[in-house]
């Protein structure tokens, strides 16, 4: 079983360690301090071509410490929890703080914003798993994928991962929070070949709860189908066309929004959605909510990396930006309040517009369905977007042939405003939950 | 003189009381009759970084990463465990876990040790964190800020960073070899945001390598990086929409060598080729580039960011020819993949840290110079683009399709450089892109030392380089379809 042994004893030990370090920081003259302590254990098994490839045991721990001397701050970290190492780490943080500048916006988050309620988020579900069981499950997944189609000729393998961890955050306001969580996944990647064409694709399932993982058969079959359907892909001639982002790719578009309306992009004026609060950035049917309290979800948390209570809220309502993602520093810079986002966005849910995936294909008529994107051609300041794409050319709502070696380009501002519909085919695996997104028009460059 | 091994003993054995007898115990636990290779990788790394933003020193950080990874390999199969604690019980526990990859019982031991020290150290062993005073580090960052702001009134934000790492490693393997290396690594970066008439753009510049921080002061790098970042950002303010479609592309020298890293380098890593999942698998001896083109991966360049005196398996690095006169010559190997393919490691076994397994990785990958004057190459193009800076790339190993994104590019019309173009991603097919190179410049240059390569979630520092190249037919992913 992949579980932190004696986790309640460790929690007690962590509390004592945190109190000790905070007291020592105060004794060194720090006016405030905060730290997080993490510990985790895990097992990863990879199989390939019907035999075990890798068996890895993980055991991690670390402490991150920030001290404040008035408005100056210093940061240090270590993986060594011995008393001398902790003392050295504190000394290092204090030394750093001697050289950083006074910055009136520095400091702990405001005391009155600390979380006081800790709803049960149900994030800890250790897996009754040993290496042999994990190997069997991975072998089964890969076997299903390889037997699925004669054109599957090779494999990158299948893997099973299980991780259990805990983290403590404490600061000199007296706030202390402890979190136990697990994360398990099953994935498979195979290679298909036909003539000169060789393609690889994958599928995975991830959950905090082992019983909620997709079955080995389903992950294997999906990986195989996705790989085979890419065979004999070809480029397109250069053109403009509508683009349909499948849920896994649509997630990235929401990620770009999060980055553009995060505090650091806003105060640095490094955002294509600068000062967009209250502005129409999407068509009026677009609704995006943040919900940090979904039980068992990957992005759930009741407090952020500064101890600030998280909140369920609207991010986009009727197409209008309702809120940024702010930690205490960027909030002060902008004259606003922290939104409990010092650890980034929690769970984000994009509402669908009542269309199934086939409806979206039909609505698009003729255009490009994008299933994979490569490269980092996104300019977060201007919104200019240009990435390599893989997918399917669609005519009259029907898939005509697989596509590769093309780019799709546009500007995120126009792409957001150009959203035509959002599918109900929501991918619930990650912390960003969205269905497919159909965009009216982008430039496709090819041969 | 103090040797790398002395540093290793000081870091790993003196404070923990570990001895060679203890290592014998660990190997006795680790080895079975099926074991083909096994190693312990001790690592101690200290990081320091300073960050300036809005004219003040906003952040500073210091961290220590220390631990040991224990690996057991039986043919294609690998068992691995690691611990942040360097103690005998932790090593024995990791050895027991790693050995579980073998179904055979314990068998074998190591009791004769040979200490090897890099034959040909490529960098000094001094601690770069202490190579400048804190005041000097900070004044360097302030200098970048003031030069950038003085360079143009349109500069709105300047973010500058300086990072220094001092790393000591010791690899102990199943043959009893104990190989130590002491590795400095420094980097400075500047990123500026400019604004003119409500229009905003940004750019970055920087450099580094395996040397001390005084490199930045002695070479007046504050001025070089600040002016370069502002220059690029201002050019982007004037940029027009890039074209979309297939066209002739001239790639500048130096950092655009990221083309080789993505299009060729990853596809030639030994693990993908052993498994047959690379678009280059089984193609040794075939023509994959135009005649006259030679591409190497060279871990032996002094003080370069991607260089290593020995790799993370204790193998001495080398200059490996990947493509010679257009013909595919070789792959990049670590010990495991080399053994499985019946050859020798090329010294490319690298890992991010003790907590990760080594894999075949690039070091410094570059194309040798050709004969053309770069001006002659540009003059030869009727209509196309000239791309001189890139923000990175990615490749699909199996299909061979790669992308890299231009951050500074110009139109070429009738052999002359024209208007600057907005960011655009270039896409191509690795196994044939180099067959369409029609001119190779005489101006080989390596990048300034800022490259990071990611593979399987592990990051390692790398270098790239190339002369100016003319490629007849690459797809440019702009928005202008006219
Ligand atoms: Zn890379």
């Amino acid at each position: 079983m992949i579980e932190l042994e004696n986790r309640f004893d460790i929690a007690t030990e962590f509390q004592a360690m945190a109190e000790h370090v905070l007291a020592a920081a105060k004794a060194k003259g720090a006016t405030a301090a905060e730290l997080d302590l993490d510990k985790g254990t895990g097992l990863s098994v990879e199989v390939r071509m019907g035999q075990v490839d890798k068996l890895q045991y993980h055991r991690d721990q670390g402490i991150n410490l920030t001290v404040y001397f008035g408005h100056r701050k210093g940061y240090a970290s270590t993986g060594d929890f011995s008393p001398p190492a902790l003392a050295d780490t504190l000394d290092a943080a204090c030394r750093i703080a001697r050289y950083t500048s006074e910055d009136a916006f520095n400091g702990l988050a405001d005391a009155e914003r600390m979380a006081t309620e800790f709803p049960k988020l149900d994030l800890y579900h250790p897996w009754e798993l040993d290496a042999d069981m994990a190997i069997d499950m991975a072998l089964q997944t890969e076997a299903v994928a390889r037997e699925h189609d004669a054109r599957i000729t090779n494999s990158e393998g299948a893997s099973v991962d299980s991780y259990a961890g805990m983290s403590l955050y404490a600061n000199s306001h007296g706030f202390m929070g402890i979190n136990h969580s697990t994360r398990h996944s099953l994935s498979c990647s195979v290679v298909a070949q036909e003539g000169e064409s060789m393609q690889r694709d994958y599928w995975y399932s991830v959950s905090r709860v082992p019983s909620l993982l997709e079955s080995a058969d389903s992950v294997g079959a999906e990986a195989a189908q996705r790989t085979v359907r890419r065979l004999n892909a070809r480029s397109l001639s250069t053109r403009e066309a509508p683009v349909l982002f499948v849920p896994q790719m649509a997630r990235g578009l929401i990620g770009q929004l999060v980055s553009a309306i995060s505090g650091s992009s806003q105060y640095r004026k490094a955002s294509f959605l600068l000062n967009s609060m209250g502005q129409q950035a999407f068509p009026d049917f677009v609704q995006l909510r943040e919900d940090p309290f979904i039980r068992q979800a990957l992005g759930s948390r009741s407090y952020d990396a500064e101890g600030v209570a998280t909140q369920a809220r609207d991010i986009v309502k009727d197409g209008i930006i309702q809120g940024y993602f702010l930690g205490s520093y960027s909030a002060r810079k902008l004259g606003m309040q922290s939104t409990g986002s010092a650890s980034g966005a929690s769970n984000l849910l994009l509402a669908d517009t009542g269309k199934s995936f086939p409806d979206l294909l039909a609505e698009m008529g003729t255009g490009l369905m994008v299933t994979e994107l490569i490269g980092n051609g996104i300019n977060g300041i201007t919104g200019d977007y240009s990435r390599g794409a893989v997918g399917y050319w669609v005519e009259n709502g029907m898939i005509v042939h697989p596509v590769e070696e093309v780019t799709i380009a546009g500007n995120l501002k126009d792409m957001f405003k150009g959203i035509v519909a959002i599918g109900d085919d929501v991918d619930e695996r990650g912390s960003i939950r969205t269905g497919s997104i159909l965009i009216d028009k982008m430039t496709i460059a090819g041969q | 003189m103090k040797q790398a091994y002395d540093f290793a003993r000081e870091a790993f054995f003196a404070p923990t009381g570990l001895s060679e007898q203890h290592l014998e115990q660990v190997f006795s636990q680790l080895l079975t009759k099926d074991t083909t290779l096994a190693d312990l990788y001790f690592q101690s790394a200290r990081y320091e970084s300073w960050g300036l933003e809005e004219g003040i020193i906003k952040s500073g950080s210091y961290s220590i990463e220390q631990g040991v990874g224990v690996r057991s390999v039986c043919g294609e199969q690998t068992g691995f465990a690691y611990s942040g604690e360097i103690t005998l019980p932790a090593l024995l526990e990791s050895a027991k876990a790693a050995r579980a990859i073998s179904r055979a019982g314990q068998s074998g031991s190591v009791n004769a040790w040979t200490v090897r020290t890099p034959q040909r150290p490529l960098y000094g062993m001094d601690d770069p964190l202490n190579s400048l005073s804190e005041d000097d580090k900070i004044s360097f960052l302030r200098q970048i800020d003031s030069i950038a702001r003085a360079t143009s009134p349109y500069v709105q934000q300047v973010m500058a960073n300086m990072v220094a790492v001092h790393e000591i490693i010791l690899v102990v393997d199943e043959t009893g070899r104990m190989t130590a290396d002491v590795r400095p690594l420094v980097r400075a970066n500047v990123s500026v945001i400019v604004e003119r008439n409500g229009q905003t753009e940004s750019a970055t510049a920087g450099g580094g390598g395996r040397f001390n921080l005084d490199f930045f002061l002695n070479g007046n790098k504050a001025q070089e990086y600040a002016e370069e970042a502002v220059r690029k950002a201002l050019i982007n303010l004037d940029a027009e929409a890039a074209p979309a479609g297939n066209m002739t592309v001239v790639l500048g020298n130096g950092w655009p060598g990221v083309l080789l890293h993505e299009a060729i380098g990853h596809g030639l890593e030994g693990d993908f080729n052993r498994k047959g999942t690379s678009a280059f698998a089984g193609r040794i001896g075939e023509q994959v580039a135009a005649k006259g083109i030679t591409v190497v991966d060279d871990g032996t360049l002094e003080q370069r960011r991607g260089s290593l005196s020995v790799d993370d398996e204790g193998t001495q690095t080398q200059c490996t020819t990947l493509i010679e006169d257009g013909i595919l010559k070789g792959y990049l190997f670590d010990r495991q993949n080399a053994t499985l393919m019946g050859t020798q490691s090329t010294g490319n076994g690298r890992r991010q840290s003790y907590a990760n397994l080594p894999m075949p990785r690039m070091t410094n990958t570059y194309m040798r110079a050709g004969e053309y004057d770069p001006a002659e190459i540009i003059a030869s193009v009727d209509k196309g683009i000239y791309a001189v800076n890139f923000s990175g790339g990615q490749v699909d190993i199996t299909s061979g399709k790669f992308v890299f994104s231009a951050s500074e590019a110009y139109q070429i019309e009738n052999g002359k450089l024209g208007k600057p173009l907005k960011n655009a991603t270039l896409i191509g097919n690795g196994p044939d892109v180099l067959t369409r190179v029609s001119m190779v410049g005489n101006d080989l240059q390596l990048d300034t030392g800022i490259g990071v390569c990611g593979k399987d979630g592990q990051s390692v520092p790398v270098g790239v380089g190339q002369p100016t190249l003319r490629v007849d037919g690459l797809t440019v992913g702009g928005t202008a379809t006219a």
Side-chain angles (χ1 to χ4, degrees), chain A residues 39-58:
Chain A
K39 201 178 182 83
T41 184
L43 170 69
S44 305
V45 165
E46 287 176 55
V47 305
R48 179 176 173 270
M49 300 303 276
Q51 62 158 340
V52 182
D53 198 52
K54 293 192 184 81
L55 177 61
Q56 300 190 60
Y57 292 90
H58 305 279

Side-chain angles (χ1 to χ4, degrees), chain A residues 125-164:
Chain A
H125 295 268
W127 195 351
E128 292 276 358
L129 181 79
D130 62 22
D132 286 336
M133 287 164 59
I135 289 167
D136 288 346
M137 189 172 182
L139 286 172
Q140 168 70 9
T141 309
E142 195 203 33
V144 168
R146 288 177 64 204
E147 286 157 16
H148 192 270
D149 192 297
R151 291 167 294 176
I152 306 272
T153 54
N154 202 341
S155 169
E156 281 277 324
S159 61
V160 171
D161 287 85
S162 177
Y163 200 84

Side-chain angles (χ1 to χ4, degrees), chain A residues 271-312:
Chain A
S271 169
F272 66 93
L273 292 176
L274 189 61
N275 301 325
S276 54
M277 182 83 85
Q279 308 274 313
Q280 186 95 35
F282 294 90
D284 57 12
F285 55 79
V286 173
Q287 322 286 352
L288 180 69
R289 261 188 84 69
E290 177 173 30
D291 186 347
F293 305 119
I294 302 173
R295 286 168 73 93
Q296 304 180 344
L298 286 180
S300 295
R301 59 179 85 102
S302 51
Y303 57 91
D304 74 359
E306 298 179 312
V308 173
T310 53
Q311 40 184 310

Side-chain angles (χ1 to χ4, degrees), chain B residues 261-262 266 269 361-362 393 395 452-455 462:
Chain B
H261 179 100
E262 302 299 351
H266 277 297
E269 289 166 341
R361 302 295 296 263
M362 284 172 264
V395 61
V452 178
C453 170
K455 175 176 171 184
V462 294

Side-chain angles (χ1 to χ4, degrees), chain B residues 213-388:
Chain B
L213 290 168
D214 52 13
F215 165 83
F216 297 115
L217 268 54
N218 298 339
N220 197 13
K221 296 294 175 186
Q223 180 165 7
E224 179 184 326
Y225 299 158
E227 289 180 353
E228 173 69 356
V230 174
R231 181 190 69 79
K232 287 197 278 191
L234 293 176
I235 284 170
N236 283 335
L237 280 179
D238 293 320
E240 299 190 345
N246 200 274
M247 61 198 71
T248 300
V249 176
V250 177
L251 298 168
N253 65 349
W255 180 241
V258 68
L259 162 81
L260 305 171
H261 179 100
E262 302 299 351
I264 306 291
H266 277 297
L268 297 181
E269 289 166 341
D271 44 357
F272 301 122
N273 288 285
R274 171 183 51 97
K275 295 172 182 171
T277 55
S278 164
F280 285 97
R283 299 184 65 168
I284 295 273
E286 288 184 23
Q287 178 149 10
V288 295
K291 265 191 86 61
I293 288 182
T294 295
V295 179
V296 301
D297 182 82
D298 190 351
T300 71
L301 302 171
E302 279 192 18
Q303 299 193 324
R304 300 293 314 183
R305 182 173 165 84
S307 297
L308 292 172
S309 301
V310 293
D311 73 2
D312 294 326
E313 299 182 303
T315 308
Q316 184 169 308
T317 53
Q318 64 183 51
C319 178
T320 307
T321 301
L322 302 175
I323 295 171
E324 187 172 26
D325 201 14
I327 306 295
L328 183 59
K329 284 288 173 185
Y331 301 130
L332 298 173
F333 286 109
D334 61 348
R335 291 184 67 203
Q336 182 189 17
N337 288 289
T339 306
L340 290 168
M341 288 186 78
T343 181
Q344 300 288 312
S345 167
T346 53
N348 290 85
R350 303 185 63 186
R351 62 205 294 174
Q352 177 176 297
S353 84
Y354 69 88
N356 304 100
L357 278 168
M359 311 181 259
R361 302 295 296 263
M362 284 172 264
T363 59
N364 305 294
T365 313
Y366 60 93
M367 183 187 291
R368 296 206 188 277
E371 59 190 9
Y372 289 96
D373 186 305
E376 196 181 343
I377 298 179
I378 291 167
S380 75
V381 178
D382 285 341
K383 196 167 164 39
I385 75 164
Y386 176 52
V388 279

